[in-house]
Amino acid sequence: MSRVFSGIQPSGVPTLGNYLGAIRNWVPLQDTQEAIYCVVDLHAITQWQDPADLRRQTREMAAALIACGLDPKRCILFVQSHVRAHAELAWIFNCVARLGWLNRMTQFKDKAGKNQEAVSSGLYVYPNLMAADIHAYHATKVPVGDDQKQHLELANDIAQKFNHDYGVDFFPNIEPLIQGVAARVMSLRDGSKKMSKSDPSDQSRINLTDDADTISQKIKRAKTDPEPLPEHMAGLEGRPEARNLVGILAAITGTLPENVLREHGGQGFGAFKSTLADALIAHLSPIAAEMKRLLEDQAALDAALRLGADRASAIAEPIVAKARDIVGFLPSR
Ligand code: TYM
């Protein structure tokens, strides 16, 4: 049994991209691996968050994860800032990672845009904290969407340099688990951009809390091209928006894009979008309802997260204590 770790930022309501690219794949791992999942609030504040919104969104994210099928009894589910080991190991990793490595991170460049001088230094060292999240547990498998691949390569570089610099074999190599046809769900407004919680246009994404009418409208308005759907995958070449919608239907109905085209090839987008909207509504409505129910009992949700943090700390504390010792810090007690 391997130890699995993954995280998600509470910087908004989870999107269909988060769900299909990550969360949905986290659910079965609870039964086959030792699974640890984290709402990463330390990561969220690398870009300014209103404190009241952050509190609300952290609970909403935890409720969404449980509603999607994570069971706090079958996995460890917790909030990152509750376990101090993350920030502590991140500092050590800040001193291991090289500036040149961080300069190559495409996500930093995307997020910082043209205004690199004005973003927080936290945003720059974000991947070091992510490496600490994983290595604080000696986790070896990390289920994520495609956009996190570069960060995970950096996490391996950091582990190797730490091991090399201190002459130890302490942090293991990690393996990204990037699964399925929906490892990169694209924006509904622009097939060249990934669907994101932080896109200024709400029309660009499906949120897990969207009601049936909103889902229908967003899918109806999704950008497409004037051609009907092709019958074969080759016909999706150069048609990113069409490819995205076909991929979403395939992922949500548990089939392959080839099969979606076999069934719907030749159809215009009007009919196809209505099938897609119906499938999304059928799949997502029960999740939204369960999330709402969970948020009605905030005390129970908070208690589950505290318990998760205790279990997480019990694993991470001894590992990070050993890292402190390897680095040469005096014992604190
Ligand atoms: P975040 O919060 O941006 O996204 C959470 C997960 O959702 C995936 N994802 C997508 N998958 C497919 N299509 C999309 N459009 C899409 N958008 C997001 C992401 O790949 C991710 O798996 N840095 C991470 C959080 C993190 C983490 C970690 C992950 C912090 N520490 C340690 C793994 C291990 C992030 O910002 O994810």
Side-chain angles (χ1 to χ4, degrees):
M1 206 193 263
S2 305
R3 188 171 286 158
V4 167
F5 183 96
S6 203
I8 186 163
Q9 292 194 64
S11 47
V13 175
T15 68
L16 184 65
N18 296 133
Y19 178 66
L20 294 177
I23 305 169
R24 196 177 61 155
N25 303 324
W26 297 357
V27 176
L29 292 168
Q30 294 176 109
D31 298 317
T32 56
Q33 316 286 336
E34 184 183 359
I36 307 175
Y37 300 121
C38 181
V39 180
V40 294
D41 52 353
L42 299 178
H43 278 97
I45 64 160
T46 55
Q47 291 176 300
W48 195 80
Q49 306 287 327
D50 176 84
D53 287 348
L54 182 61
R55 271 176 216 115
R56 179 177 46 76
Q57 288 173 181
T58 302
R59 288 196 178 99
E60 278 176 6
M61 184 56 78
L65 296 178
I66 298 171
C68 288
L70 296 189
D71 173 359
K73 293 202 177 68
R74 278 148 66 218
C75 68
I76 296 180
L77 178 64
F78 71 105
V79 176
Q80 187 184 29
S81 63
H82 290 175
V83 177
R84 301 206 173 155
H86 293 248
E88 208 176 334
L89 186 59
W91 179 257
I92 295 177
F93 284 174
N94 283 344
C95 304
V96 173
R98 305 290 91 180
L99 284 189
W101 302 354
L102 294 172
N103 285 337
R104 284 196 285 278
M105 294 296 112
T106 55
Q107 202 160 89
F108 174 75
K109 290 180 198 159
D110 289 348
K111 285 194 178 170
K114 292 196 186 76
N115 208 6
Q116 288 198 8
E117 299 284 311
V119 297
S120 76
S121 43
L123 190 67
Y124 191 67
V125 293
Y126 178 114
N128 299 344
L129 176 58
M130 204 171 137
D133 295 339
I134 303 162
H135 290 307
Y137 297 87
H138 277 175
T140 52
K141 294 204 169 122
V142 187
V144 284
D146 187 58
D147 61 327
Q148 299 300 318
K149 206 167 149 195
Q150 196 186 29
H151 288 158
L152 299 187
E153 284 162 9
L154 186 90
N156 275 334
D157 290 343
I158 291 175
Q160 273 169 27
K161 184 160 168 56
F162 180 97
N163 288 346
H164 174 268
D165 287 356
Y166 292 103
V168 290
D169 183 14
F170 187 59
F171 290 118
N173 200 56
I174 59 177
E175 182 197 340
L177 302 178
I178 299 175
Q179 290 168 328
V181 285
R184 180 174 281 264
V185 177
M186 308 312 280
S187 154
L188 299 177
R189 309 300 299 168
D190 176 351
S192 67
K193 269 173 44 187
K194 71 164 186 174
M195 183 181 284
S196 158
K197 302 180 210 90
S198 51
D199 191 299
S201 165
D202 194 54
Q203 294 296 316
S204 69
R205 60 178 163 264
I206 303 286
N207 304 307
L208 293 193
T209 47
D210 284 344
D211 61 22
D213 284 349
T214 311
I215 294 177
S216 289
Q217 269 184 20
K218 285 181 177 176
I219 295 296
K220 209 180 274 171
R221 291 193 197 133
K223 186 174 167 201
T224 43
D225 54 43
E227 302 295 318
L229 277 175
E231 314 219 336
H232 302 287
M233 292 301 284
L236 288 175
E237 217 42 54
R239 300 176 66 188
E241 286 84 13
R243 173 188 291 275
N244 189 38
L245 296 187
V246 168
I248 292 175
L249 184 60
I252 208 89
T253 54
T255 185
L256 290 172
E258 289 85 324
N259 297 334
V260 169
L261 292 183
R262 206 163 292 137
E263 197 177 333
H264 298 278
Q267 240 176 29
F269 276 102
F272 180 72
K273 281 177 165 180
S274 138
T275 307
L276 175 59
D278 289 348
L280 284 169
I281 292 164
H283 198 96
L284 299 182
S285 302
I287 296 178
E290 177 63 2
M291 191 177 152
K292 194 158 167 258
R293 192 188 69 75
L294 289 162
L295 285 167
E296 276 159 16
D297 192 350
Q298 196 174 295
L301 188 62
D302 287 0
L305 291 173
R306 272 198 300 274
L307 207 67
D310 289 345
R311 292 168 65 204
S313 290
I315 300 173
E317 281 300 332
I319 292 174
V320 175
K322 179 75 187 153
R324 276 197 300 258
D325 180 52
I326 290 171
V327 167
F329 295 158
L330 290 179
S332 59
R333 65 186 85 221

